[in-house]
Amino acid sequence: MEYFLDIASLLNSTFRISTPLVFAAMAGLFAERSGVIDFSLEGKMLTAAFVAATGSYFFGSEWLGLVLAIMACVSLSMLHGFASVTHKGDQVVSCVAINILMIGLTTALAAAWFGEAGLTPTLNNDQRFLEITLPFADALRSVPIIGLIYSEILSGHYIFVYMAYLLVPVVYWVVFKTSFGLRLRAVGENPSAVDTAGINVFSMRYKALAINGVLIAFAGAHLSTAVNANFFREMSAGRGYLALAALIFGKWHPKTALLACMLFGFTDALQIRLQGVALPIVGIIPVQFIQAIPYVLTVVLLAGFVGKAIAPSAIGQPYVKEQ
Amino acid sequence: MVSPILELSKINKSFGHVQANKEITLKVNKGTIHGIIGENGAGKSTLMSIVYGFYQADSGTISINGKTINLKSPRDSILSGIGMVHQHFMLVENFTVLENIILGFEGEIVFGKKLEQAKINLKNLCETYKLNIDLDSIISDLSVGFRQRVEILKSLYRGAEIFILDEPTGVLTPQEVDELFKILRSLQKEGKTIVLITHKLNEIMALTSEVSVMRQGEMVGHKKTELTNKEELAEMMVGRSVLLRINRTEAQKGEVVFRVNNLQVKDDLGVMRVKDVNFEIHKGEILGLAGVTGNGQTELLEALSGIRKIESGEIQLFNETISDQNNFLNPKELKEKGLVHVPEDRQRMGLITDFKAYENLIFGYHHQLPFSKSSILKEKDILSHSRKVMEEYDVRPQSPHLITSNFSGGNQQKIILSRELNENPKVLLVGQPTRGVDIGAIEFIHQRLIDMRNKGVAILLVSVELEEVLSLSDRIVVMFDGKIVGEKVNKDVTDREIGLLMAGIA
């Protein structure tokens, strides 16, 4: 029983930790399937975290904070589009610029508005998202296994966790079962074919980037107005890059990308558990080594197990009509 | 008198300073197959891309059935009944046939009823025109001939009445060309109008009823096909009379200078692309290697020229092994022994297109006299050499300082040839020497190759242009799926025989 509770709490953390990764990976999926590299998930997630926390604090509404975060992220996505779709600039450079800009800007604004520490004020419970207890969770706790799974693993998450996991089948449906999805996938594979079919390549890519901006905002809001009650500098801590790695590891497919995100979430949950635990033979492992596990795993997976690259063929290439 | 279904009047189009189309006027009659012929760069494709709405004309009018239309995007022209099969197919490789065809014309937001209806319509169209396409196949699994049919089906599905085909036969085997012609004739029988863009005179004579000739962006004439002939059309295309048959005298064959024994070569992905290949080339002969693109010719040529390691077998030059499974000589060492290579992909392997012409003219020989001394380039000598060979090879424009990418395909090829032939090689390996080269330059390049042969050079000519192989080679070997599937002495051999070998049938 004690082991079961251990495992249940591990899985519970996995869902919570992988949530921003799932939002970010799905956001990246739209951009990259349309042929636009999105290396700026990190910067946008950070921006969303800052804007959501600040917005909630000033306006007293976590939902308004989320809306403002969406607007900020969509603007950054449009900026990325303006540089790399309209003006055919290098997509990676545009993303790196956004990342550097937003790391600096969020830190500077937080310091200017809220003092040197760069923390936004702690949100009270009316200004942030709270954990949701699913109906009958307490009553069902005593039912063996199923009840425990329901109450210990599935219940008691922030709203974003449920949204993230409902989002994945929706993304799958949009990408593979609608004409928008067909055009989205086509424009990332062979934009000339899309152009000659009478569809505007640029407008398709902008639409994909707009969706990208909306989704990534949820990841940031989850960090600063749900799991935490404030923003602190560089709080996204590389999750944008991890999500991109998960997307690549998941071969740009919603289902496999979700599994990759959960794997990263699980290793992160595991490393938290392992901190300070004495293992047989080796004893206590220094915390820095434990914390490095998810990142090492990323490198190992990307280097060794991705197999043949099947990235969208036109990814990273600005569309220029042939002469 | 039949009425014109498509009428162009005074079309002008410029890209920067280059005027691609000048005052073009054209009438295409309903239900005909109308040919548009011209050299590479004559402006045919640009003109048709304007009709397809892919480019917008700077001035001029386009009318369909007597009604002037304004084409702002391909969508407008598709809705006006124009379909185009581009030279490079506009297909998404990892999509199914069905997905490619409905793209942009799905008719519904979420796939459902309309998709089922589309399947039924497409099956009917396939039957009517005997296209024999499986709607669920993935494009990348289909042969080039079938991909082209998918393009035709796509236009049919979108309700095209006018079909524009841009160089449709460039990538097909002779048998596939026959199939295509059958399909085009059945389209015509159903009342469709076809515009065929090509630089191949044979196709014009075989298929069209009317032909328009373009040269340097201008329309130089319209003819009824039955009232003209190849010679007249060629002259109109080039602006002077052209030798269509090369003057090839009997070869003065000498001893074997180049030999390939049981050669096996893998590509970058580790797939065996050259399988147990044997052949030899004599002094003073041209051995033609025919085959459809992608049957191992590229890997073979790379192995022979010292760029690619071989798996097994050996390659001999003057009875000395230059390559086996353990060692191979690199291109520089091969050059010193008298073997030179004119690569298939001239822009990627033959030239550094961002460099100036004079730099490309000496590349590979730059380290030796007279071009450099003690590792320092002798610019004066290089430039005087460049001017000399550019004149000798008629490279236009004759300016050594011009960036190489600004030369036309034919002139780029002349730059490579002049460089490689300058050192009097003994063995010449040449891949696709006239791909993307205009008729005038083709004639020049062919004559140069024959001259080299007459001087006693052993030449391996790898080409996917069957006509070229037939007109230049003394012997022909055919490659299919990495193997040599046939060898013929080029005497009384027909293109049908070679075509069957190329398709792997005979």
Side-chain angles (χ1 to χ4, degrees), chain A:
Chain A
M1 191 62 200
E2 197 183 322
Y3 279 115
F4 182 83
L5 282 178
D6 266 354
I7 292 168
S9 114
L10 196 58
L11 290 178
N12 188 296
S13 319
T14 301
F15 280 116
R16 180 171 41 81
I17 294 170
S18 52
T19 292
L21 299 181
V22 173
F23 277 118
M26 295 302 125
L29 188 139
F30 277 96
E32 302 225 327
R33 279 280 189 168
S34 83
V36 182
I37 293 175
D38 194 6
F39 209 65
S40 61
L41 292 169
E42 179 72 12
K44 283 184 271 198
M45 198 188 301
L46 194 62
T47 307
F50 174 73
V51 173
T54 312
S56 297
Y57 173 71
F58 280 129
F59 299 104
S61 158
E62 68 275 30
W63 289 102
L64 196 56
L66 176 64
V67 170
L68 291 172
I70 289 173
M71 286 163 61
C73 288
V74 171
S75 309
L76 287 175
S77 285
M78 293 300 110
L79 181 67
H80 182 34
F82 185 68
S84 64
V85 176
T86 305
H87 288 288
K88 310 182 198 315
D90 187 290
Q91 297 175 358
V92 173
V93 172
S94 160
C95 291
V96 170
I98 289 175
N99 286 341
I100 294 173
L101 174 71
M102 292 326 294
I103 289 171
L105 198 59
T106 50
T107 311
L109 287 178
W113 292 344
F114 306 110
E116 300 260 311
L119 297 174
T120 63
T122 306
L123 302 170
N124 62 40
N125 283 355
D126 294 338
Q127 298 166 323
R128 60 179 279 230
F129 294 94
L130 298 174
E131 286 152 331
I132 297 172
T133 306
L134 292 181
F136 314 116
D138 282 330
L140 287 170
R141 197 177 296 272
S142 53
V143 179
I145 302 181
I146 297 174
L148 273 173
I149 289 175
Y150 184 75
S151 59
E152 293 296 325
I153 301 175
L154 297 182
S155 176
H157 288 293
Y158 301 101
I159 188 165
F160 293 117
V161 178
Y162 301 110
M163 284 173 155
Y165 284 86
L166 288 175
L167 174 67
V168 177
V170 173
V171 169
Y172 175 83
W173 181 78
V174 168
V175 171
F176 293 102
K177 303 289 176 193
T178 67
S179 58
F180 173 79
L182 185 74
R183 294 172 182 199
L184 176 80
R185 286 180 286 135
V187 84
E189 290 289 339
N190 185 353
S192 299
V194 173
D195 197 2
T196 53
I199 305 164
N200 189 326
V201 171
F202 301 110
S203 115
M204 272 311 295
R205 290 190 168 167
Y206 270 107
K207 283 179 196 166
L209 283 172
I211 297 173
N212 162 280
V214 173
L215 295 182
I216 190 66
F218 284 80
H222 174 73
L223 294 179
S224 67
T225 58
V227 182
N228 297 289
N230 63 356
F231 166 88
F232 53 89
R233 65 177 291 190
E234 292 177 41
M235 79 182 300
S236 50
R239 286 184 184 85
Y241 300 121
L242 270 183
L244 191 64
L247 180 65
I248 295 167
F249 183 49
K251 303 194 180 212
W252 291 269
H253 198 285
K255 280 191 278 190
T256 35
L258 170 68
L259 291 177
C261 289
M262 290 183 72
L263 180 65
F264 287 146
F266 179 75
T267 46
D268 204 16
L270 193 65
Q271 65 90 1
I272 295 168
R273 296 240 117 200
L274 286 178
Q275 285 180 24
V277 175
L279 292 180
I281 306 169
V282 284
I284 293 178
I285 300 172
V287 67
Q288 288 82 357
F289 284 102
I290 304 264
Q291 282 174 334
I293 290 174
Y295 302 93
V296 171
L297 183 77
T298 312
V299 173
V300 170
L301 286 180
L302 284 180
F305 295 93
V306 177
K308 229 188 113 27
I310 43 129
S313 319
I315 197 163
Q317 300 163 6
Y319 179 58
V320 185
K321 278 190 184 188
E322 306 177 33
Q323 285 193 10

Side-chain angles (χ1 to χ4, degrees), chain B residues 215 230-242:
Chain B
R215 184 172 74 229
K230 282 207 251 181
E231 282 69 22
E232 186 188 22
L233 290 176
E235 204 177 319
M236 286 169 78
M237 274 164 73
V238 184
R240 61 183 169 82
S241 63
V242 192

